[in-house]
Amino acid sequence: MTQSTQWLTIPEFAVELGVEAGDVRDKIREGKIVAVRRGENNTWQLPAGFIIPGAVSPHIIPTLRGTLTLLSDVGLSDEEAMEWLLEPAKELGMSPLDALREGQRAPVRRLAQTLL
């Protein structure tokens, strides 16, 4: 995973998103987002890059859920999906997560389908 990723614990992610920590945990359980255990305390953490500014309030990248579903369908674990999202992809010229943040859903999903 790239070193420049800013990681947030579930409570920190919730604050950034403007919701309760329980809401974030629900989104993880529902597969809308993924978290991985990391750090000295082995806490569940998520990339801050999952959140984008919105007209009214910050929100999770809308195309993230479908991309995570596709990655799961090709057999990647949550940890492998997170690594794939964060590693730079020469085909995209950036990481898949950065491409999703820029609205490049189709190129990211095409790249994910090559994992089959």
Side-chain angles (χ1 to χ4, degrees), residues 36-45:
V36 293
R37 288 199 174 272
R38 35 179 293 114
E40 287 181 23
N41 296 326
N42 203 32
T43 57
W44 288 105
Q45 297 185 24

Side-chain angles (χ1 to χ4, degrees), residues 93-113:
M94 63 186 78
S95 73
L97 180 59
D98 288 340
L100 288 176
R101 290 178 58 83
E102 291 188 7
Q104 298 180 35
R105 176 189 61 84
V108 169
R109 300 249 176 107
R110 277 194 301 274
L111 183 59
Q113 288 172 340

Side-chain angles (χ1 to χ4, degrees), residues 57-110:
S57 63
H59 58 278
I60 295 169
I61 301 167
T63 55
L64 183 60
R65 181 180 189 173
T67 303
L68 290 171
T69 299
L70 177 57
L71 293 172
S72 175
D73 289 350
V74 300
L76 296 188
S77 67
D78 287 351
E79 292 79 11
E80 292 167 331
M82 185 76 75
E83 186 173 334
W84 186 86
L85 283 167
L86 297 175
E87 284 296 322
K90 64 180 180 246
E91 300 89 343
L92 300 170
M94 63 186 78
S95 73
L97 180 59
D98 288 340
L100 288 176
R101 290 178 58 83
E102 291 188 7
Q104 298 180 35
R105 176 189 61 84
V108 169
R109 300 249 176 107
R110 277 194 301 274

Side-chain angles (χ1 to χ4, degrees), residues 7-22:
W7 292 92
L8 301 172
T9 63
I10 290 175
E12 293 167 339
F13 192 87
V15 167
E16 291 295 317
L17 203 53
V19 300
E20 298 294 321

